[in-house]
Amino acid sequence: MTITHSVPASPGDSSPGDAGVRSPRDEIARFAHPLTRMLLASDGFTMPVLEAILRTELEVRVLRQDDVAAGRMPATVTDALQVSGSDRVIVRRSCLIDPDMVTVSVNHVVTVSGPAAATGVDDVQMPIGYSLVSRGVSQRRQVLRAGVARWPDGRLCATKAYIITLADRPLCYIRESFNPDVIPPAGAHLTEGDPHWADEPDTPEPTPADLTTAPRESAAAQDEPPQGSVEQLRTLPPLVDPSDCETLTADLDAAARGQAFVLHLGDGGGHLDCDTRTLAARRALIHAATAVLTHGLGTEVRVVPISHLPGRLGTLDDDGRTASDPLLETYFRAAAALNYWRGQQAPVALSGDLLREVADRFAEPATRDLMREVAGLLPLAASAPTASRELFSSITRLHISHEAPTLWYGAALTRGGPDRHWWDCSTQLVWIGDRVRNAQGRRVFAARIRNPVAVTITAATTPHEVERLCQQLNPDDRPGRLTLVARLGDERVTEWLPELIGTVAARETPVCWMCDPTALGVQAQHGGGQARIDGVTAGIREFLRVCRATGTVPGGLHLECPPGTGEFTGSGEWQVLRCVVTAMAELRAT
């Protein structure tokens, strides 16, 4: 049986590293509400106390967990944990949410690495207190400080910091901040005498990257390559590594098995410019949408974000001159975009601003609150050091897809991998749309490479054609290799998709099924913006209903969306987030 002792803070005690700070008892007395005072003074488990207050069960969400050198932590933490700069600590950012996905508390936890692993505290699936109890470990808790801090949306909130000690050896430093809508901070105010909490690791500032804006107009790529272009492309470095393609294949396999959900953003038919401002807005949009999905789906289903590379051509060569070869233009433009994505940290601030801006456009209070909650949590998920192990984070790795302008382009960038397979090193996911020229030729090319392949199918696609796709593109039945994207058009999805799903199931070919509801919005464009988005969200619901009825796992969602257009020829930011919320709600109801 576990015995939990308590070590009350004596009057006049101060936090380590903060001489002169009022004692926890004096700080707690500043709060007017008795519920707040009780919670801050408690030296027991916080989670069951909150559950009793709210009369509901709570769930732990680990936003991020990193193993860092103790030397990167301020003295407030290292003194409390009695560690030196050469020691290692685990920094965890987590939150407690209720069944309605309201964030009740956000928590900053620092644990000594060795004892954390020995006691199971590094397990992200179980609250720390419950983990210790389940192992029969005797523990003591000591409140170091209580007071006010800032909730993610900027409001004041009640906060406390304490340590957990095992056998007189400090194990964890924990700071808990409580949602002011749940635990009222009335009576306490920030004053000049209130020191900063000073318990976050030292995080290096991001290095800004620059992308030269290039001309936006160029000639369309032709099926016949210009003289010498293929030879030149073959001498250029690959844009992606085969290992990146293997990683995405595994992610798509997880989506086909219900362990992940893919969010794929298209480029609106090739009209997405490749300049710094547009790319920043696009990255902000996909990170924001991914964060909303991640928060809603929880730890059991991870989100796999994929973005189409910019479709417009035109760039500058190394001498600063405009390249005249469309294939070389495509390569340099794609390389510039990839360098920008890889060289920049996640656009946390831009994503948060986007979520706050669109929040007021939602009529439902719950959706507005969700957008604001996620906007506030984004900095918590991203504030740890860059080189870290992300467990449950909305700041996920962004995959790329591309529909090559010509077969020559893909062939010229095909490279042999260490596994002796051929890889299209211009992209991770090879995309074959329903309106592409020479689609059969592209399928033949895709059959010869190892990349994962996504193919758009429509109501005009027959079961025989789907069977040929499976045989041609995934003859070895490799999981994650083939993704079929149902593009919903004039015919309702219930009239044709079940038969296609049945054909694939009968053949026992592993397929990741996704839906593209964009065409429904285009058809309703004369009815206004609301009619467009209503058509698209209805299509998403119908696709998910068909999946449930046929016992098929819905693998993901494709949306055509160059940022900033506000039109559903390429979904605007609000429409994209509306679709994401719809899909999230339907998936949670399954």
Side-chain angles (χ1 to χ4, degrees):
M1 176 177 179
T2 299
I3 302 174
T4 302
H5 303 282
S6 63
V7 182
S10 59
D13 285 351
S14 61
S15 300
D18 285 330
V21 176
R22 286 183 291 265
S23 71
R25 182 179 304 173
D26 292 338
E27 290 284 357
I28 293 170
R30 297 167 62 191
F31 290 87
H33 202 289
L35 191 67
T36 307
R37 295 197 300 269
M38 178 200 70
L39 184 63
L40 295 179
S42 171
D43 47 27
F45 295 164
T46 303
M47 188 169 176
V49 175
L50 286 172
E51 288 178 329
I53 293 172
L54 299 175
R55 299 181 181 179
T56 187
E57 293 184 354
L58 299 178
E59 177 186 350
V60 175
R61 292 284 181 87
V62 174
L63 299 168
R64 185 163 182 154
Q65 181 162 300
D66 306 280
D67 190 305
V68 303
R72 302 193 65 174
M73 305 302 300
T76 304
V77 176
T78 56
D79 290 350
L81 293 180
Q82 300 176 16
V83 293
S84 64
S86 60
D87 294 321
R88 305 293 297 183
V89 294
I90 294 175
V91 180
R92 175 187 295 183
R93 287 154 178 81
S94 62
C95 62
L96 294 178
I97 65 170
D98 68 11
D100 295 324
M101 293 187 299
V102 173
T103 301
V104 177
S105 72
V106 292
N107 311 312
H108 171 59
V109 182
V110 184
T111 312
V112 185
S113 289
T119 56
V121 171
D122 59 347
D123 182 2
V124 299
Q125 301 298 327
M126 184 177 291
I128 290 174
Y130 290 142
S131 177
L132 295 174
V133 168
S134 67
R135 292 172 178 260
V137 178
S138 177
Q139 56 180 289
R140 297 180 297 168
R141 299 190 177 205
Q142 177 183 355
V143 177
L144 299 177
R145 181 182 171 190
V148 290
R150 294 287 181 184
W151 189 245
D153 61 9
R155 291 180 294 165
L156 293 180
C157 64
T159 303
K160 74 174 181 178
Y162 58 92
I163 58 170
I164 295 178
T165 302
L166 305 182
D168 297 326
R169 175 68 181 175
L171 173 68
C172 299
Y173 169 93
I174 301 177
R175 171 167 50 87
E176 299 171 331
S177 299
F178 304 102
N179 189 331
D181 291 333
V182 177
I183 304 299
H189 305 281
L190 278 176
T191 66
E192 293 183 358
D194 292 331
H196 183 65
W197 288 86
D199 54 13
E200 295 283 350
D202 177 28
T203 303
E205 292 295 323
T207 301
D210 183 34
L211 182 66
T212 302
T213 301
R216 298 185 178 184
E217 302 299 331
S218 66
Q222 304 297 320
D223 285 336
E224 293 297 327
Q227 183 68 30
S229 60
V230 173
E231 287 75 12
Q232 286 182 278
L233 280 173
R234 284 174 178 161
T235 66
L236 295 173
L239 294 176
V240 302
D241 190 83
S243 62
D244 297 330
C245 305
E246 288 278 30
T247 299
L248 180 55
T249 301
D251 287 340
L252 292 169
D253 173 39
R257 292 183 285 108
Q259 298 175 355
F261 190 80
V262 177
L263 177 62
H264 183 272
L265 299 191
D267 63 357
H271 300 297
L272 179 64
D273 295 326
C274 185
D275 56 61
T276 305
R277 182 177 180 181
T278 302
L279 289 176
R282 184 170 188 79
R283 292 176 71 244
L285 174 59
I286 194 165
H287 278 296
T290 302
V292 171
L293 267 177
T294 300
H295 192 69
L297 297 182
T299 56
E300 295 182 358
V301 179
R302 58 189 172 85
V303 182
V304 180
I306 309 175
S307 177
H308 229 46
L309 282 178
R312 285 195 177 181
L313 306 179
T315 189
L316 301 179
D317 60 21
D318 291 338
D319 297 326
R321 297 169 300 185
T322 303
S324 59
D325 189 317
L327 293 187
L328 294 179
E329 289 176 354
T330 301
Y331 173 87
F332 287 122
R333 189 51 111 183
L338 285 174
N339 287 337
Y340 179 82
W341 270 325
R342 291 166 177 163
Q344 289 278 311
Q345 288 192 342
V348 174
L350 200 58
S351 298
D353 290 344
L354 172 61
L355 289 170
R356 282 184 283 269
E357 286 176 6
V358 301
D360 292 335
R361 296 194 61 180
F362 289 96
E364 307 90 343
T367 306
R368 290 199 302 269
D369 292 342
L370 172 64
M371 296 294 168
R372 291 166 181 157
E373 286 279 6
V374 174
L377 292 174
L378 272 173
L380 299 174
S383 57
T386 304
S388 61
R389 178 168 62 97
E390 296 178 359
L391 298 176
F392 181 76
S393 174
S394 53
I395 313 301
T396 55
R397 185 176 183 181
L398 180 60
H399 299 287
I400 62 163
S401 67
H402 193 38
E403 190 171 64
T406 70
L407 289 174
W408 297 103
Y409 179 82
L413 288 171
T414 298
R415 304 285 193 269
D419 52 5
R420 298 186 179 182
H421 291 291
W422 289 100
W423 299 86
D424 178 1
C425 292
S426 69
T427 185
Q428 295 169 8
L429 175 66
V430 174
W431 189 270
I432 303 176
D434 63 313
R435 292 166 292 187
V436 69
R437 289 187 296 170
N438 195 9
Q440 182 54 36
R442 292 174 189 268
R443 292 172 187 172
V444 172
F445 167 71
R448 297 174 179 172
I449 58 177
R450 190 73 169 173
N451 302 58
V453 181
V455 183
T456 299
I457 60 175
T458 68
T461 306
T462 65
H464 177 67
E465 290 174 310
V466 168
E467 191 171 6
R468 284 185 58 195
L469 283 174
C470 294
Q471 175 60 39
Q472 184 180 32
L473 296 178
N474 198 14
D476 299 329
D477 293 337
R478 186 159 60 100
R481 156 70 172 179
L482 180 59
T483 297
L484 296 181
V485 185
R487 192 168 194 267
L488 313 184
D490 292 331
E491 292 80 6
R492 295 176 62 81
V493 62
T494 51
E495 298 175 4
W496 56 274
L497 187 56
E499 187 176 6
L500 302 186
I501 290 176
T503 299
V504 173
R507 200 181 181 284
E508 297 185 349
T509 299
V511 166
C512 177
W513 286 96
M514 294 172 55
C515 82
D516 173 10
T518 305
L520 292 171
V522 174
Q523 294 159 16
Q525 60 185 346
H526 298 297
Q530 189 60 48
R532 288 196 294 274
I533 192 63
D534 287 346
V536 172
T537 53
I540 294 172
R541 293 189 183 98
E542 195 163 4
F543 169 77
L544 294 174
R545 282 198 292 269
V546 168
C547 289
R548 286 194 291 267
T550 57
T552 302
V553 175
L557 179 65
H558 166 84
L559 297 169
E560 293 291 345
C561 49
T565 63
E567 298 293 334
F568 218 104
T569 51
S571 171
E573 291 88 341
W574 177 76
Q575 290 95 328
V576 169
L577 292 170
R578 164 57 72 190
C579 293
V580 164
V581 170
T582 299
M584 179 195 71
E586 292 292 323
L587 288 169
R588 292 183 72 239
T590 302

